[in-house]
């Protein structure tokens, strides 16, 4: 049986009791997932909330093959991989380590560095580095399913080490475009951040078309690069009003940019620029689920189950 992702989300909410892993301690977590088998069983529940059936013959009866993560259908005898089509596919890292990484990442608001995770789990740094970056790609994959709509603030931001002598858009720091959807009463909703090589009208258009639903109203500070948004199916409000500073009009966006900078500087010192996008993806993922912290482990696991595998080369080059 196939489910769309939003159905999966819904089913997960009603599946068993909400486990609220954000609120359980390390001992309880260890008791729930002491073995690969326990992790595998839980993975199956998350992946097939209404029960498993063979994609070829529809039979619900399967037997485990001794080889890791392989099943054999008792109807058609076909073999299938439990992790195919998920982030864990072909990963030699045991599921238990993945589960622990997801649990620790989910319960730590400030983010988790590879060094920290390596020490906590007693596994090599290279492995935790790759795991965390893979988890970040799953986070990005998840957020890419949703677009902002309604009233959206948009602004530019610069990340990375300070670049003395160069200010504004001539800086060599990593440039990014930030979009924040506003809820009723102007409260912040969801956020998206995209790094760009050049901060120009073309980059703004490309970002807006992917991140924001057509017809939405985009509020900016009126910088020239945003002016063509109205030609591409958006309502553009350049809101620099006389007597008001930029901060008055894009207040929440500026707050979020400061938070994103603090998130990166606090946990991940001296980031190589080519990886900044993934840390920003993590920041956005967490921000967008800030009211659902207790569910974060299950949500992250679902994100990994529905995300394509990423090779080491894709992460490092
Ligand atoms: Zn079958």
């Amino acid at each position: 049986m196939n489910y769309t992702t939003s159905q999966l989300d819904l089913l997960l909410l009603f599946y068993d009791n909400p486990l609220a892993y954000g609120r359980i301690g390390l001992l309880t977590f260890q008791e729930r997932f002491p073995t690969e088998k326990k992790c595998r069983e839980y993975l199956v529940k998350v992946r097939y909330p209404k029960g498993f059936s063979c994609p070829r013959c529809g039979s619900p009866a399967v037997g485990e093959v001794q080889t890791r993560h392989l099943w054999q259908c008792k109807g058609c005898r076909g073999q299938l991989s439990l992790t195919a089509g998920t982030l864990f596919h072909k990963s030699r890292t045991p599921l238990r380590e993945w589960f622990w990484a997801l649990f620790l990442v989910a319960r730590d608001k400030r983010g988790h560095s590879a060094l920290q995770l390596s020490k906590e789990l007693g596994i090599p740094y290279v492995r935790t580095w790759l795991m965390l970056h893979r988890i970040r790609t799953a986070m990005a994959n998840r957020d890419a399913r949703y677009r902002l709509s309604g009233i959206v603030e948009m602004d530019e931001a610069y990340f990375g080490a300070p670049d003395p002598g160069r200010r504004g858009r001539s800086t060599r720091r990593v440039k990014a475009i930030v979009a924040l959807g506003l809820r009723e009463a102007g409260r912040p909703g969801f956020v998206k951040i995209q790094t760009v090589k050049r901060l120009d009208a073309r980059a703004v258009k490309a970002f807006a078309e992917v991140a924001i639903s057509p017809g939405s109203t985009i509020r900016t500070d009126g910088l020239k690069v945003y002016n063509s948004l109205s030609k591409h199916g958006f309502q553009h409000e350049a809101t620099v009003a006389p007597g008001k500073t930029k901060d008055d009009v894009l207040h929440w966006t500026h707050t979020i940019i400061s938070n994103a900078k603090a998130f990166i500087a606090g946990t991940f010192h001296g980031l190589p620029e080519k990886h900044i996008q993934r840390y920003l993806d993590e920041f956005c993922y967490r921000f967008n689920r800030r009211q659902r912290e207790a569910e974060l482990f299950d949500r992250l696991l679902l994100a990994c189950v529905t995300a394509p595998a990423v090779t080491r080369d894709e992460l490092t080059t």
Side-chain angles (χ1 to χ4, degrees), residues 219-259:
R219 279 184 192 157
T220 74
D221 56 15
L223 201 71
K224 230 161 104 189
V225 296
Y226 301 117
N227 284 346
S228 61
L229 282 169
S230 53
K231 288 186 212 143
H232 302 298
F234 302 101
Q235 314 284 329
H236 178 217
E237 276 182 26
T239 52
V240 179
K244 283 194 166 190
T245 67
K246 212 174 136 171
D247 266 338
D248 293 332
V249 287
L250 300 173
H251 170 71
W252 282 113
T253 300
H254 293 156
T255 306
I256 287 166
I257 292 171
S258 309
N259 285 350

mmCIF file of all heavy atoms in Angstrom, residues 219-259:
data_model
loop_
_atom_site.group_PDB
_atom_site.id
_atom_site.type_symbol
_atom_site.label_atom_id
_atom_site.label_comp_id
_atom_site.label_asym_id
_atom_site.label_seq_id
_atom_site.Cartn_x
_atom_site.Cartn_y
_atom_site.Cartn_z
ATOM 1 N N ARG A 219 7.034 40.903 1.245
ATOM 2 C CA ARG A 219 7.469 42.196 1.788
ATOM 3 C C ARG A 219 8.981 42.242 1.830
ATOM 4 O O ARG A 219 9.618 41.334 2.364
ATOM 5 C CB ARG A 219 6.977 42.355 3.225
ATOM 6 C CG ARG A 219 5.572 42.799 3.291
ATOM 7 C CD ARG A 219 5.213 43.032 4.752
ATOM 8 N NE ARG A 219 3.773 43.173 4.815
ATOM 9 C CZ ARG A 219 3.052 42.948 5.894
ATOM 10 N NH1 ARG A 219 3.648 42.579 7.011
ATOM 11 N NH2 ARG A 219 1.753 43.105 5.868
ATOM 12 N N THR A 220 9.553 43.295 1.292
ATOM 13 C CA THR A 220 11.011 43.448 1.333
ATOM 14 C C THR A 220 11.343 44.865 1.766
ATOM 15 O O THR A 220 10.450 45.703 1.935
ATOM 16 C CB THR A 220 11.645 43.202 -0.048
ATOM 17 O OG1 THR A 220 11.357 44.334 -0.877
ATOM 18 C CG2 THR A 220 11.108 41.938 -0.698
ATOM 19 N N ASP A 221 12.656 45.119 1.878
ATOM 20 C CA ASP A 221 13.077 46.469 2.224
ATOM 21 C C ASP A 221 13.205 47.346 0.977
ATOM 22 O O ASP A 221 13.690 48.462 1.041
ATOM 23 C CB ASP A 221 14.406 46.427 2.986
ATOM 24 C CG ASP A 221 15.477 45.705 2.193
ATOM 25 O OD1 ASP A 221 15.309 45.488 0.964
ATOM 26 O OD2 ASP A 221 16.506 45.338 2.791
ATOM 27 N N GLY A 222 12.795 46.835 -0.158
ATOM 28 C CA GLY A 222 12.774 47.654 -1.362
ATOM 29 C C GLY A 222 14.098 47.697 -2.118
ATOM 30 O O GLY A 222 14.259 48.454 -3.072
ATOM 31 N N LEU A 223 15.038 46.867 -1.715
ATOM 32 C CA LEU A 223 16.307 46.782 -2.443
ATOM 33 C C LEU A 223 16.009 46.393 -3.897
ATOM 34 O O LEU A 223 15.112 45.592 -4.160
ATOM 35 C CB LEU A 223 17.156 45.700 -1.775
ATOM 36 C CG LEU A 223 18.657 45.750 -2.003
ATOM 37 C CD1 LEU A 223 19.257 46.933 -1.240
ATOM 38 C CD2 LEU A 223 19.299 44.452 -1.487
ATOM 39 N N LYS A 224 16.826 46.945 -4.812
ATOM 40 C CA LYS A 224 16.540 46.772 -6.239
ATOM 41 C C LYS A 224 16.342 45.310 -6.674
ATOM 42 O O LYS A 224 15.505 45.021 -7.520
ATOM 43 C CB LYS A 224 17.714 47.355 -7.046
ATOM 44 C CG LYS A 224 17.251 48.299 -8.144
ATOM 45 C CD LYS A 224 18.388 49.179 -8.595
ATOM 46 C CE LYS A 224 18.959 48.747 -9.927
ATOM 47 N NZ LYS A 224 20.208 49.476 -10.248
ATOM 48 N N VAL A 225 17.110 44.397 -6.067
ATOM 49 C CA VAL A 225 17.044 42.998 -6.510
ATOM 50 C C VAL A 225 15.659 42.376 -6.331
ATOM 51 O O VAL A 225 15.348 41.348 -6.931
ATOM 52 C CB VAL A 225 18.077 42.098 -5.784
ATOM 53 C CG1 VAL A 225 19.473 42.514 -6.124
ATOM 54 C CG2 VAL A 225 17.859 42.104 -4.273
ATOM 55 N N TYR A 226 14.824 42.992 -5.494
ATOM 56 C CA TYR A 226 13.494 42.419 -5.238
ATOM 57 C C TYR A 226 12.421 42.982 -6.161
ATOM 58 O O TYR A 226 11.299 42.482 -6.196
ATOM 59 C CB TYR A 226 13.072 42.678 -3.786
ATOM 60 C CG TYR A 226 14.021 42.097 -2.773
ATOM 61 C CD1 TYR A 226 14.718 42.910 -1.890
ATOM 62 C CD2 TYR A 226 14.228 40.721 -2.702
ATOM 63 C CE1 TYR A 226 15.586 42.380 -0.954
ATOM 64 C CE2 TYR A 226 15.101 40.179 -1.773
ATOM 65 C CZ TYR A 226 15.779 41.012 -0.908
ATOM 66 O OH TYR A 226 16.636 40.483 0.022
ATOM 67 N N ASN A 227 12.770 44.065 -6.885
ATOM 68 C CA ASN A 227 11.723 44.787 -7.618
ATOM 69 C C ASN A 227 11.007 43.967 -8.677
ATOM 70 O O ASN A 227 9.847 44.205 -8.964
ATOM 71 C CB ASN A 227 12.303 46.068 -8.236
ATOM 72 C CG ASN A 227 12.489 47.127 -7.162
ATOM 73 O OD1 ASN A 227 11.956 46.993 -6.058
ATOM 74 N ND2 ASN A 227 13.255 48.168 -7.465
ATOM 75 N N SER A 228 11.715 42.989 -9.256
ATOM 76 C CA SER A 228 11.058 42.257 -10.344
ATOM 77 C C SER A 228 10.122 41.151 -9.843
ATOM 78 O O SER A 228 9.489 40.465 -10.629
ATOM 79 C CB SER A 228 12.113 41.670 -11.284
ATOM 80 O OG SER A 228 12.918 40.779 -10.552
ATOM 81 N N LEU A 229 10.017 40.965 -8.514
ATOM 82 C CA LEU A 229 9.132 39.912 -7.989
ATOM 83 C C LEU A 229 7.708 40.073 -8.499
ATOM 84 O O LEU A 229 7.013 39.097 -8.772
ATOM 85 C CB LEU A 229 9.138 39.947 -6.458
ATOM 86 C CG LEU A 229 10.356 39.309 -5.778
ATOM 87 C CD1 LEU A 229 10.382 39.632 -4.291
ATOM 88 C CD2 LEU A 229 10.358 37.793 -5.992
ATOM 89 N N SER A 230 7.286 41.335 -8.652
ATOM 90 C CA SER A 230 5.894 41.573 -9.090
ATOM 91 C C SER A 230 5.679 41.115 -10.533
ATOM 92 O O SER A 230 4.555 40.910 -10.956
ATOM 93 C CB SER A 230 5.538 43.048 -8.925
ATOM 94 O OG SER A 230 6.510 43.827 -9.571
ATOM 95 N N LYS A 231 6.763 40.950 -11.277
ATOM 96 C CA LYS A 231 6.616 40.470 -12.663
ATOM 97 C C LYS A 231 6.527 38.946 -12.723
ATOM 98 O O LYS A 231 6.321 38.373 -13.778
ATOM 99 C CB LYS A 231 7.825 40.907 -13.510
ATOM 100 C CG LYS A 231 7.846 42.381 -13.820
ATOM 101 C CD LYS A 231 8.996 42.655 -14.780
ATOM 102 C CE LYS A 231 9.569 44.043 -14.520
ATOM 103 N NZ LYS A 231 11.015 44.090 -14.670
ATOM 104 N N HIS A 232 6.762 38.286 -11.594
ATOM 105 C CA HIS A 232 6.821 36.827 -11.622
ATOM 106 C C HIS A 232 5.709 36.170 -10.811
ATOM 107 O O HIS A 232 5.891 35.108 -10.225
ATOM 108 C CB HIS A 232 8.190 36.350 -11.130
ATOM 109 C CG HIS A 232 9.320 36.903 -11.931
ATOM 110 N ND1 HIS A 232 9.485 36.657 -13.282
ATOM 111 C CD2 HIS A 232 10.322 37.747 -11.593
ATOM 112 C CE1 HIS A 232 10.554 37.294 -13.718
ATOM 113 N NE2 HIS A 232 11.075 37.965 -12.721
ATOM 114 N N GLY A 233 4.576 36.838 -10.746
ATOM 115 C CA GLY A 233 3.408 36.206 -10.116
ATOM 116 C C GLY A 233 3.264 36.461 -8.623
ATOM 117 O O GLY A 233 2.470 35.810 -7.958
ATOM 118 N N PHE A 234 4.048 37.393 -8.072
ATOM 119 C CA PHE A 234 3.917 37.713 -6.643
ATOM 120 C C PHE A 234 3.455 39.159 -6.490
ATOM 121 O O PHE A 234 3.683 39.987 -7.371
ATOM 122 C CB PHE A 234 5.263 37.541 -5.930
ATOM 123 C CG PHE A 234 5.832 36.162 -6.051
ATOM 124 C CD1 PHE A 234 6.841 35.889 -6.963
ATOM 125 C CD2 PHE A 234 5.347 35.127 -5.262
ATOM 126 C CE1 PHE A 234 7.358 34.600 -7.097
ATOM 127 C CE2 PHE A 234 5.857 33.847 -5.382
ATOM 128 C CZ PHE A 234 6.866 33.593 -6.297
ATOM 129 N N GLN A 235 2.811 39.438 -5.367
ATOM 130 C CA GLN A 235 2.558 40.834 -5.004
ATOM 131 C C GLN A 235 3.796 41.299 -4.254
ATOM 132 O O GLN A 235 4.189 40.647 -3.299
ATOM 133 C CB GLN A 235 1.352 40.944 -4.044
ATOM 134 C CG GLN A 235 0.140 40.141 -4.427
ATOM 135 C CD GLN A 235 -0.614 40.792 -5.556
ATOM 136 O OE1 GLN A 235 -0.604 42.017 -5.678
ATOM 137 N NE2 GLN A 235 -1.220 39.979 -6.403
ATOM 138 N N HIS A 236 4.377 42.382 -4.686
ATOM 139 C CA HIS A 236 5.576 42.859 -3.983
ATOM 140 C C HIS A 236 5.271 44.128 -3.206
ATOM 141 O O HIS A 236 4.763 45.090 -3.765
ATOM 142 C CB HIS A 236 6.714 43.112 -4.987
ATOM 143 C CG HIS A 236 7.954 43.638 -4.322
ATOM 144 N ND1 HIS A 236 8.768 44.582 -4.885
ATOM 145 C CD2 HIS A 236 8.502 43.351 -3.118
ATOM 146 C CE1 HIS A 236 9.768 44.855 -4.059
ATOM 147 N NE2 HIS A 236 9.629 44.110 -2.987
ATOM 148 N N GLU A 237 5.554 44.102 -1.923
ATOM 149 C CA GLU A 237 5.404 45.305 -1.098
ATOM 150 C C GLU A 237 6.772 45.738 -0.622
ATOM 151 O O GLU A 237 7.368 45.072 0.220
ATOM 152 C CB GLU A 237 4.587 44.978 0.159
ATOM 153 C CG GLU A 237 3.098 45.028 -0.018
ATOM 154 C CD GLU A 237 2.391 44.728 1.313
ATOM 155 O OE1 GLU A 237 2.984 44.963 2.395
ATOM 156 O OE2 GLU A 237 1.272 44.226 1.249
ATOM 157 N N ALA A 238 7.246 46.834 -1.169
ATOM 158 C CA ALA A 238 8.503 47.395 -0.663
ATOM 159 C C ALA A 238 8.128 48.289 0.503
ATOM 160 O O ALA A 238 7.494 49.320 0.317
ATOM 161 C CB ALA A 238 9.199 48.181 -1.747
ATOM 162 N N THR A 239 8.486 47.851 1.693
ATOM 163 C CA THR A 239 7.869 48.479 2.865
ATOM 164 C C THR A 239 8.771 49.425 3.645
ATOM 165 O O THR A 239 8.622 49.551 4.853
ATOM 166 C CB THR A 239 7.350 47.408 3.840
ATOM 167 O OG1 THR A 239 8.408 46.505 4.089
ATOM 168 C CG2 THR A 239 6.163 46.691 3.283
ATOM 169 N N VAL A 240 9.719 50.026 2.981
ATOM 170 C CA VAL A 240 10.487 51.010 3.736
ATOM 171 C C VAL A 240 9.692 52.308 3.772
ATOM 172 O O VAL A 240 9.658 53.060 2.810
ATOM 173 C CB VAL A 240 11.885 51.236 3.142
ATOM 174 C CG1 VAL A 240 12.640 52.281 3.937
ATOM 175 C CG2 VAL A 240 12.646 49.929 3.177
ATOM 176 N N ALA A 241 9.011 52.499 4.892
ATOM 177 C CA ALA A 241 8.155 53.666 5.030
ATOM 178 C C ALA A 241 8.962 54.824 5.585
ATOM 179 O O ALA A 241 9.905 54.595 6.342
ATOM 180 C CB ALA A 241 7.004 53.324 5.974
ATOM 181 N N PRO A 242 8.599 56.052 5.223
ATOM 182 C CA PRO A 242 9.342 57.198 5.755
ATOM 183 C C PRO A 242 9.279 57.203 7.277
ATOM 184 O O PRO A 242 8.235 56.897 7.861
ATOM 185 C CB PRO A 242 8.599 58.418 5.172
ATOM 186 C CG PRO A 242 7.571 57.891 4.232
ATOM 187 C CD PRO A 242 7.481 56.418 4.372
ATOM 188 N N GLY A 243 10.393 57.477 7.907
ATOM 189 C CA GLY A 243 10.413 57.549 9.374
ATOM 190 C C GLY A 243 10.530 56.191 10.039
ATOM 191 O O GLY A 243 10.571 56.092 11.257
ATOM 192 N N LYS A 244 10.568 55.118 9.239
ATOM 193 C CA LYS A 244 10.709 53.789 9.843
ATOM 194 C C LYS A 244 12.049 53.191 9.430
ATOM 195 O O LYS A 244 12.489 53.389 8.302
ATOM 196 C CB LYS A 244 9.588 52.875 9.364
ATOM 197 C CG LYS A 244 8.272 53.134 10.042
ATOM 198 C CD LYS A 244 7.325 51.999 9.784
ATOM 199 C CE LYS A 244 6.118 52.061 10.717
ATOM 200 N NZ LYS A 244 5.325 50.861 10.655
ATOM 201 N N THR A 245 12.654 52.455 10.327
ATOM 202 C CA THR A 245 13.893 51.795 9.961
ATOM 203 C C THR A 245 13.557 50.440 9.363
ATOM 204 O O THR A 245 12.445 49.942 9.504
ATOM 205 C CB THR A 245 14.800 51.585 11.189
ATOM 206 O OG1 THR A 245 14.140 50.648 12.026
ATOM 207 C CG2 THR A 245 15.047 52.868 11.933
ATOM 208 N N LYS A 246 14.564 49.820 8.741
ATOM 209 C CA LYS A 246 14.407 48.506 8.160
ATOM 210 C C LYS A 246 13.934 47.497 9.214
ATOM 211 O O LYS A 246 13.128 46.616 8.952
ATOM 212 C CB LYS A 246 15.779 48.080 7.627
ATOM 213 C CG LYS A 246 15.741 47.206 6.415
ATOM 214 C CD LYS A 246 17.159 46.995 5.916
ATOM 215 C CE LYS A 246 17.312 45.526 5.588
ATOM 216 N NZ LYS A 246 18.537 45.181 4.904
ATOM 217 N N ASP A 247 14.431 47.688 10.454
ATOM 218 C CA ASP A 247 14.074 46.754 11.525
ATOM 219 C C ASP A 247 12.602 46.813 11.890
ATOM 220 O O ASP A 247 12.027 45.829 12.320
ATOM 221 C CB ASP A 247 14.909 47.028 12.774
ATOM 222 C CG ASP A 247 16.137 46.138 12.791
ATOM 223 O OD1 ASP A 247 16.096 45.087 12.120
ATOM 224 O OD2 ASP A 247 17.120 46.491 13.442
ATOM 225 N N ASP A 248 11.991 47.998 11.720
ATOM 226 C CA ASP A 248 10.570 48.105 12.053
ATOM 227 C C ASP A 248 9.740 47.241 11.118
ATOM 228 O O ASP A 248 8.733 46.688 11.504
ATOM 229 C CB ASP A 248 10.096 49.557 11.931
ATOM 230 C CG ASP A 248 10.754 50.432 12.979
ATOM 231 O OD1 ASP A 248 11.092 49.893 14.041
ATOM 232 O OD2 ASP A 248 10.932 51.629 12.731
ATOM 233 N N VAL A 249 10.146 47.163 9.863
ATOM 234 C CA VAL A 249 9.284 46.475 8.907
ATOM 235 C C VAL A 249 9.594 44.993 8.745
ATOM 236 O O VAL A 249 8.717 44.210 8.444
ATOM 237 C CB VAL A 249 9.293 47.172 7.522
ATOM 238 C CG1 VAL A 249 8.513 48.472 7.596
ATOM 239 C CG2 VAL A 249 10.676 47.378 7.005
ATOM 240 N N LEU A 250 10.835 44.579 8.949
ATOM 241 C CA LEU A 250 11.149 43.151 8.797
ATOM 242 C C LEU A 250 11.646 42.602 10.129
ATOM 243 O O LEU A 250 12.621 41.866 10.211
ATOM 244 C CB LEU A 250 12.196 42.943 7.700
ATOM 245 C CG LEU A 250 11.808 43.418 6.296
ATOM 246 C CD1 LEU A 250 12.976 43.305 5.340
ATOM 247 C CD2 LEU A 250 10.617 42.636 5.741
ATOM 248 N N HIS A 251 10.914 42.965 11.175
ATOM 249 C CA HIS A 251 11.368 42.686 12.525
ATOM 250 C C HIS A 251 11.653 41.192 12.761
ATOM 251 O O HIS A 251 12.734 40.817 13.216
ATOM 252 C CB HIS A 251 10.319 43.174 13.511
ATOM 253 C CG HIS A 251 10.573 42.721 14.907
ATOM 254 N ND1 HIS A 251 11.610 43.235 15.654
ATOM 255 C CD2 HIS A 251 9.976 41.771 15.677
ATOM 256 C CE1 HIS A 251 11.617 42.633 16.835
ATOM 257 N NE2 HIS A 251 10.645 41.746 16.877
ATOM 258 N N TRP A 252 10.689 40.324 12.435
ATOM 259 C CA TRP A 252 10.860 38.910 12.727
ATOM 260 C C TRP A 252 11.970 38.286 11.895
ATOM 261 O O TRP A 252 12.727 37.448 12.373
ATOM 262 C CB TRP A 252 9.552 38.148 12.513
ATOM 263 C CG TRP A 252 8.605 38.347 13.647
ATOM 264 C CD1 TRP A 252 7.409 39.012 13.625
ATOM 265 C CD2 TRP A 252 8.796 37.923 14.999
ATOM 266 N NE1 TRP A 252 6.846 39.019 14.870
ATOM 267 C CE2 TRP A 252 7.659 38.356 15.736
ATOM 268 C CE3 TRP A 252 9.809 37.222 15.665
ATOM 269 C CZ2 TRP A 252 7.524 38.103 17.100
ATOM 270 C CZ3 TRP A 252 9.667 36.971 17.022
ATOM 271 C CH2 TRP A 252 8.536 37.409 17.724
ATOM 272 N N THR A 253 12.028 38.704 10.656
ATOM 273 C CA THR A 253 13.070 38.149 9.784
ATOM 274 C C THR A 253 14.450 38.480 10.343
ATOM 275 O O THR A 253 15.338 37.628 10.376
ATOM 276 C CB THR A 253 12.901 38.690 8.356
ATOM 277 O OG1 THR A 253 11.607 38.298 7.915
ATOM 278 C CG2 THR A 253 13.937 38.130 7.417
ATOM 279 N N HIS A 254 14.613 39.708 10.815
ATOM 280 C CA HIS A 254 15.917 40.074 11.375
ATOM 281 C C HIS A 254 16.226 39.284 12.647
ATOM 282 O O HIS A 254 17.357 38.882 12.883
ATOM 283 C CB HIS A 254 15.967 41.579 11.656
ATOM 284 C CG HIS A 254 15.931 42.374 10.397
ATOM 285 N ND1 HIS A 254 15.507 43.672 10.324
ATOM 286 C CD2 HIS A 254 16.246 42.013 9.130
ATOM 287 C CE1 HIS A 254 15.566 44.081 9.074
ATOM 288 N NE2 HIS A 254 16.014 43.097 8.319
ATOM 289 N N THR A 255 15.194 39.045 13.444
ATOM 290 C CA THR A 255 15.387 38.245 14.660
ATOM 291 C C THR A 255 15.836 36.830 14.295
ATOM 292 O O THR A 255 16.747 36.265 14.908
ATOM 293 C CB THR A 255 14.054 38.164 15.453
ATOM 294 O OG1 THR A 255 13.606 39.498 15.666
ATOM 295 C CG2 THR A 255 14.242 37.464 16.783
ATOM 296 N N ILE A 256 15.196 36.277 13.270
ATOM 297 C CA ILE A 256 15.527 34.910 12.875
ATOM 298 C C ILE A 256 16.936 34.827 12.280
ATOM 299 O O ILE A 256 17.677 33.881 12.546
ATOM 300 C CB ILE A 256 14.455 34.384 11.899
ATOM 301 C CG1 ILE A 256 13.184 34.095 12.708
ATOM 302 C CG2 ILE A 256 14.927 33.135 11.161
ATOM 303 C CD1 ILE A 256 11.949 33.900 11.882
ATOM 304 N N ILE A 257 17.323 35.843 11.528
ATOM 305 C CA ILE A 257 18.688 35.855 10.974
ATOM 306 C C ILE A 257 19.705 35.870 12.130
ATOM 307 O O ILE A 257 20.692 35.124 12.107
ATOM 308 C CB ILE A 257 18.887 37.056 10.020
ATOM 309 C CG1 ILE A 257 18.030 36.858 8.756
ATOM 310 C CG2 ILE A 257 20.364 37.217 9.647
ATOM 311 C CD1 ILE A 257 17.973 38.066 7.834
ATOM 312 N N SER A 258 19.436 36.677 13.157
ATOM 313 C CA SER A 258 20.355 36.690 14.316
ATOM 314 C C SER A 258 20.399 35.320 14.974
ATOM 315 O O SER A 258 21.472 34.847 15.365
ATOM 316 C CB SER A 258 19.904 37.688 15.389
ATOM 317 O OG SER A 258 19.667 38.919 14.823
ATOM 318 N N ASN A 259 19.237 34.691 15.098
ATOM 319 C CA ASN A 259 19.199 33.350 15.707
ATOM 320 C C ASN A 259 19.979 32.340 14.877
ATOM 321 O O ASN A 259 20.682 31.487 15.413
ATOM 322 C CB ASN A 259 17.755 32.855 15.833
ATOM 323 C CG ASN A 259 17.030 33.538 16.957
ATOM 324 O OD1 ASN A 259 17.636 34.246 17.762
ATOM 325 N ND2 ASN A 259 15.726 33.372 17.020
#
